[in-house]
Amino acid sequence: MTDATHPLCQEWHQKIQTCSDLQALDEIRVHLLGKTGLITTELKTLGQLSPDERKTKGAEINAVRDSLSTLLSEKKEELEKNALELRLQTEALDITLPIRPEKKGNLHLLTQVLGDIQSYFRDLGFQVVEGPEIDDDYHNFDALNIPVHHPARQNHDTFYIKDHPLRLLRTHTSTAQIRTLEVQKPPLRIISIGRVYRSDALDATHTPMFHQLEGLVLEPYTHMGHLKGCLTDFCRHFFGVDDIKSRFRPSFFPFTEPSGELDINCSREDGQLKIGVGNNWMEILGCGMVHPNVLKNCGINPDEYQGFAFGAGVERLTMLKYGLPDIRALYESDERWLNHYGVGSVNL
Ligand code: PHE
């Protein structure tokens, strides 16, 4: 008797073929092949037979078992495939549907500016890094060559964390210089954009929280010329004016030597500020060559590497670019303002 004509086969082949769900199929499998299943029980009866009978009966049952288990696994595969198809169909998203008007959201002006700055520097091979907003005295001051009694500390109106005298809200993103150099070896080019905090006034040009853009380039032969070129090109891109003029004015920061402020040209005719035209100057950011002490604090030999750093207020850049007279507008969440300056993410 061949397996297919065995009564067990005939009966169960049909049941398996017509089975339409995975759980029922598994119940059939247990019923036939489980520990106390039909086939297993049949196999157990072999012991009572004569050796000759056992041989033929044994082969017969084994053939039935093989045939049924092949069929079971084929059916299982088929049902699983169908279930997956069904899931894919029901869970599919129709991305061709239009956006629901009530779900319209805009990217805030600052978000647009941050994205623009990041992609500009990324294209130049800069890595974008992030650091903690709650930092410590060491990263915000000491490592940046601002020791405890240095007068520069007084210029930073620092928010200290209650009951943690050495913990503070970072007052500038220059902390990113230290945090990066602690974990990465030069040569490197990084920028970092993030929130900084100063216990300042709240008026048209100050908020206790604002954003800074920090840049650091550390390579064997970096010099002030690279710094000027890098920043002037950035200003040209950012303000969309091809021939912006720039100049350095000497300044002081404990963590750069020499230090400078970068001015760009502008005109203020009829009370209207225009960037990149005219013969007036406007201060735009602070910068300089990284101070050798900062490099030493991070275990870098200043004779091997030298670099430049710069720091700019993102709100200030944004206000200049878009002609905003009051920084507070950026945080007031006035819906009319948001709709005016916001850009839908799909339109970017
Ligand atoms: N950290 C400085 C500030 O907050 C800006 C700066 C950054 C200056 C890097 C020089 C180099 O004013």
Side-chain angles (χ1 to χ4, degrees), residues 7 11 15 34 39-40 99 103 108 110 114 122 147 161 166 177 206 222 229 233 274 284 299 347:
E11 179 188 352
K15 285 194 177 152
I39 305 286
T40 327
I99 292 170
K103 296 273 179 195
H108 190 278
L110 272 178
L114 297 179
R122 269 209 182 101
I161 308 284
L166 298 178
Q177 297 185 31
H206 297 89
T222 323
D233 277 347
K274 289 207 185 97
I284 198 99
N347 296 334

Side-chain angles (χ1 to χ4, degrees), residues 156 171-172 174 177 198 212 214 253 255-256 286-288 309-311:
H156 292 241
T171 60
H172 54 176
S174 297
Q177 297 185 31
R198 292 188 192 176
Q212 275 191 339
E214 188 82 13
F253 299 103
F255 35 91
T256 45
C287 56
F310 56 89

Side-chain angles (χ1 to χ4, degrees), residues 127-301:
Q127 186 196 341
V128 179
V129 302
E130 279 184 48
E133 287 172 33
I134 297 180
D135 213 316
D136 52 43
D137 235 36
Y138 175 75
H139 291 89
N140 199 83
F141 294 124
D142 296 80
L144 284 161
N145 201 31
I146 319 177
V148 177
H149 296 295
H150 196 288
R153 282 214 188 192
Q154 270 81 67
N155 299 340
H156 292 241
D157 308 291
T158 313
F159 285 116
Y160 282 91
I161 308 284
K162 204 174 161 200
D163 300 330
H164 295 273
L166 298 178
R167 297 228 144 222
L168 46 80
L169 296 179
R170 65 178 176 192
T171 60
H172 54 176
T173 42
S174 297
T175 49
Q177 297 185 31
I178 307 301
R179 294 221 164 254
T180 304
L181 294 178
E182 279 176 347
V183 294
Q184 244 175 280
K185 293 255 164 297
L188 49 82
R189 298 175 180 194
I190 59 124
I191 60 154
S192 188
I193 309 187
R195 296 190 182 99
V196 298
Y197 301 82
R198 292 188 192 176
S199 174
D200 243 347
L202 177 64
D203 58 29
T205 50
H206 297 89
T207 45
M209 184 284 292
F210 58 100
H211 294 75
Q212 275 191 339
L213 156 69
E214 188 82 13
L216 170 70
V217 170
L218 203 54
E219 286 167 9
Y221 304 108
T222 323
H223 57 67
M224 292 280 286
H226 295 135
L227 171 60
K228 192 161 189 229
C230 171
L231 292 177
T232 310
D233 277 347
F234 166 66
C235 290
R236 288 176 178 158
H237 159 81
F238 185 77
F239 293 107
V241 183
D242 284 342
D243 53 356
I244 284 188
K245 294 188 207 33
S246 64
R247 69 172 187 190
F248 278 141
R249 235 177 335 98
S251 184
F252 174 78
F253 299 103
F255 35 91
T256 45
E257 181 58 34
S259 302
E261 256 152 36
L262 186 81
D263 293 348
I264 52 175
N265 69 318
C266 65
S267 88
R268 293 194 176 90
E269 263 166 47
D270 307 324
Q272 256 227 327
L273 175 71
K274 289 207 185 97
I275 305 250
V277 293
N279 296 322
N280 287 320
W281 294 103
M282 132 113 42
E283 181 215 317
I284 198 99
L285 50 79
C287 56
M289 299 304 293
V290 180
H291 197 293
N293 286 355
V294 173
L295 297 177
K296 282 186 212 150
N297 288 340
C298 300
I300 294 160
N301 181 352

Side-chain angles (χ1 to χ4, degrees), residues 12-20 25 71 74-75 78:
W12 288 99
H13 267 209
Q14 213 214 334
K15 285 194 177 152
I16 294 170
Q17 293 291 15
T18 53
C19 179
S20 62
L25 187 72
L71 198 64
E74 280 169 6
K75 189 70 187 177
E78 181 192 320

Side-chain angles (χ1 to χ4, degrees), residues 65-91:
R65 188 195 53 200
D66 291 348
S67 149
L68 287 173
S69 60
T70 311
L71 198 64
L72 277 166
S73 51
E74 280 169 6
K75 189 70 187 177
K76 184 164 178 245
E77 213 173 291
E78 181 192 320
L79 289 178
E80 278 171 350
K81 204 168 141 231
N82 292 349
L84 180 66
E85 281 297 321
L86 194 72
R87 253 188 84 189
L88 288 174
Q89 271 170 26
T90 50
E91 290 176 15

